[in-house]
């Protein structure tokens, strides 16, 4: 048996006034996904355990089969694994977002979805000119970067994701406890340094949002994950444009698959991800395909972009996998968001999500629809970390 997992990040939502009370999943044209729901088994999956924050780090660990209550040590260490950063004893790593803050208000958590090339220059410039001993910056992808702090292990501060405080004053959400004095000093110093950065000046001249400073959050030390071979007896790979997912994959012993022109945004290469998944399944047991675009649309409050992203996932990823499953007869498919990112809230929530398992040996729930309401009313309730076990049982 072969196995495919599709993660439309942040796809779950609440009824939207713009959609006459429907959710994006209910409003979108998703023939392949709805075929899975009609013929497969629906679940109502609690991907964010009680007491955990509803971040993609917690939720994606859960969806990929790891109980966050046991394995979670922070978001940044997962991303650092994908960046091949070595975090030594005594060090901790934090996520460093390039953000735009105006008059103390968080205007954009991504500095206008800055390109990877521009952001790399900005982060490199900041690292060279910061002047704070024991603190180093490492460029990542688009607005997602890493900051390693000496002597921070065991002193992790309470921090806030910048996408949780859009259009809010930032002062109440600065780091607290632990090494917060150092983190706040770094963030404050970054304002001065980046005001002199040439890439920032060019972005302002072009009418783009500048990187006004760095926002530090999600700190921790590296976790230890058992491999997929140890846990589930399978090998596999993962496709994502996001270092968070790629870091989990590397720690889980999964192959990180390269696909041209995947961006983690609306313009990602959906068809390329679908083709790469099929090519990989020709030589392996398991593939996971993660798409960030629905989550970004949720954060941006753009309901029609969320629908468009869902329809692209259905057409270019789920439909080809379903066709291969019909052709081969040996492929099971699991589709689940990691968490909701409601358009109305523009941030993550901890509510359970709809999930669907389809394929050989899977008994149908009976005429289901892949939607939040249908899953809530008729889906089997399940911890998110058990979904992979259901897939591979």
């Amino acid at each position: 048996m072969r196995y495919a997992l599709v993660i439309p990040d942040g796809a779950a939502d609440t009824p939207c006034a713009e959609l006459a009370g429907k959710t994006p999943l209910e409003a979108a044209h998703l023939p392949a996904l709805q075929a899975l729901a009609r013929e497969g088994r629906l679940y109502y999956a609690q991907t964010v355990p009680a007491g955990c924050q509803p971040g993609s780090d917690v939720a994606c660990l859960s969806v990929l089969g790891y109980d966050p209550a046991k394995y979670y040590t922070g978001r940044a260490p997962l991303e650092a694994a994908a960046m091949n950063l070595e975090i030594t004893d005594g060090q901790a790593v934090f996520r460093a977002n390039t953000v735009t803050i105006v008059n103390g208000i968080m205007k954009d958590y991504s500095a206008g979805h800055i390109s990877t090339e521009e952001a790399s220059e900005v982060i490199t410039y900041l690292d060279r000119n910061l002047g704070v001993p024991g603190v180093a910056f490492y460029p990542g992808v688009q607005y997602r970067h890493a900051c390693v702090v000496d002597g921070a292990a065991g002193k992790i501060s309470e921090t806030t994701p910048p996408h949780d405080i859009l259009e809010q004053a930032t002062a109440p959400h600065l780091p607290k406890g632990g090494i917060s004095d150092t983190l706040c000093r770094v963030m404050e110093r970054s304002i001065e340094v980046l005001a002199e950065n040439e890439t920032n000046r060019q972005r302002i001249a072009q009418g783009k949002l500048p990187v006004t400073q760095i926002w530090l959050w999600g700190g921790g030390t590296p976790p230890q994950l058992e491999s997929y071979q140890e846990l589930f007896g399978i090998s596999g790979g993962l496709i994502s444009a996001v270092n968070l997912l790629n870091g989990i994959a590397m720690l889980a012993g999964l192959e990180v698959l390269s696909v041209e022109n995947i961006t983690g945004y609306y313009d990602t290469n959906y068809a390329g991800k679908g083709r790469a998944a099929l090519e990989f399944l020709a030589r392996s047991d398991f593939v996971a395909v993660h798409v960030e675009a629905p989550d970004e649309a949720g954060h941006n409050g753009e309901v029609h972009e969320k629908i468009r992203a869902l329809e692209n996932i259905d057409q270019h990823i789920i439909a080809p996998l379903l066709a291969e499953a019909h052709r081969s007869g040996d492929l099971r498919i699991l589709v689940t968001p990691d968490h909701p990112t409601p358009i109305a809230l523009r941030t993550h929530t901890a509510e359970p999500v709809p999930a669907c398992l389809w394929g050989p040996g899977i008994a149908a729930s009976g005429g289901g629809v892949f939607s939040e309401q249908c899953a809530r009313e008729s889906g089997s309730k399940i911890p998110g970390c058990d979904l992979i076990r259901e897939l591979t049982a």
Side-chain angles (χ1 to χ4, degrees):
M1 190 67 67
R2 296 177 298 162
Y3 311 97
L5 166 64
V6 181
I7 309 171
D9 199 298
D13 213 301
T14 55
C16 299
E18 306 97 315
L19 303 176
K22 294 182 177 181
T23 69
L25 280 171
E26 292 169 334
H29 179 60
L30 308 172
L33 180 53
Q34 297 305 352
L36 296 182
R38 284 193 306 273
E39 302 167 8
R41 184 185 304 164
L42 277 179
Y43 296 90
Y44 195 45
Q46 184 66 64
T47 57
V48 180
C52 293
Q53 293 298 310
S56 289
D57 44 10
V58 167
C60 286
L61 267 177
S62 183
V63 166
L64 286 166
Y66 296 93
D67 182 354
K70 178 179 178 181
Y71 294 100
Y72 181 69
T73 62
R75 180 184 185 115
L78 301 172
E79 297 177 336
M83 299 168 68
N84 292 310
L85 294 184
E86 183 178 352
I87 311 302
T88 61
D89 289 345
Q91 292 181 325
V93 59
F94 293 80
R95 158 74 88 85
N97 271 51
T98 52
V99 300
T100 304
I101 296 174
V102 179
N103 296 325
I105 303 297
M106 181 66 69
K107 289 296 183 181
D108 197 293
Y109 63 90
S110 66
H113 284 278
I114 188 170
S115 71
T116 297
E117 293 73 23
E118 290 175 303
S120 293
E121 192 282 328
V122 169
I123 294 297
T124 300
Y125 179 88
L126 177 63
D127 185 61
R128 290 173 178 167
N129 294 280
L130 183 67
V132 178
V135 176
F137 282 91
Y138 298 88
V141 177
Q142 293 182 310
Y143 58 88
R144 311 171 184 96
H145 309 282
C147 176
V148 177
V149 182
D150 291 347
K155 305 175 185 177
I156 304 302
S157 302
E158 177 188 342
T159 58
T160 302
H163 51 259
D164 281 358
I165 54 171
L166 286 169
E167 299 299 335
Q168 296 182 40
T170 58
H173 303 286
L174 292 171
K176 299 177 179 66
I179 56 162
S180 59
D181 287 350
T182 297
L183 300 184
C184 289
R185 181 155 59 101
V186 169
M187 291 162 66
E188 187 70 23
R189 172 64 179 150
S190 74
I191 298 172
E192 303 170 19
V193 173
L194 295 179
E196 303 298 322
N197 178 253
E198 183 59 30
T199 294
N200 258 339
R201 289 172 173 166
Q202 292 174 7
R203 286 181 65 80
I204 293 170
Q206 295 165 3
K208 298 178 181 178
L209 292 178
V211 183
T212 60
Q213 71 171 83
I214 292 299
W215 188 268
L216 300 177
W217 63 286
T221 54
Q224 298 295 319
L225 303 185
E226 291 96 340
S227 73
Y228 258 49
Q229 193 67 55
E230 292 171 313
L231 287 177
F232 311 117
I234 59 174
S235 60
L238 181 139
I239 300 167
S240 177
V242 177
N243 271 342
L244 168 62
L245 274 293
N246 292 332
I248 296 173
M250 294 174 69
L251 292 168
L254 297 173
E255 185 176 344
V256 175
L257 305 177
S258 178
V259 179
E260 289 187 355
N261 300 321
I262 58 174
T263 65
Y265 202 54
Y266 305 156
D267 59 349
T268 198
N269 183 3
Y270 296 93
K273 286 188 174 185
R275 287 192 298 269
L278 292 177
E279 290 168 2
F280 187 71
L281 282 172
R283 62 181 176 87
S284 189
D285 304 321
F286 167 80
V287 69
V289 186
H290 168 262
V291 183
E292 181 76 0
D295 184 61
E296 295 288 354
H299 287 306
N300 293 337
E302 295 178 341
V303 66
H304 294 292
E305 289 293 352
K306 191 166 190 177
I307 289 173
R308 188 172 294 113
L310 293 171
E311 291 177 344
N312 277 321
I313 293 167
D314 189 77
Q315 177 183 352
H316 297 295
I317 299 172
I318 298 174
L321 286 169
L322 181 56
E324 168 61 16
H326 283 306
R327 184 200 67 79
S328 67
D330 72 343
L331 176 61
R332 288 181 177 177
I333 302 171
L334 171 64
V335 180
T336 182
D338 50 348
H339 52 66
T341 308
I343 293 291
L345 299 178
R346 298 182 64 180
T347 192
H348 306 161
T349 65
E351 279 71 29
V353 297
C356 181
L357 176 58
W358 178 97
I362 305 301
S365 303
V369 174
F370 196 93
S371 72
E372 297 84 356
Q373 181 176 344
C374 189
R376 184 166 51 247
E377 294 176 351
S378 61
S380 301
K381 292 182 173 61
I382 188 174
C385 58
D386 287 347
L387 287 169
I388 289 291
R389 289 165 180 81
E390 294 284 301
L391 174 66
T392 59

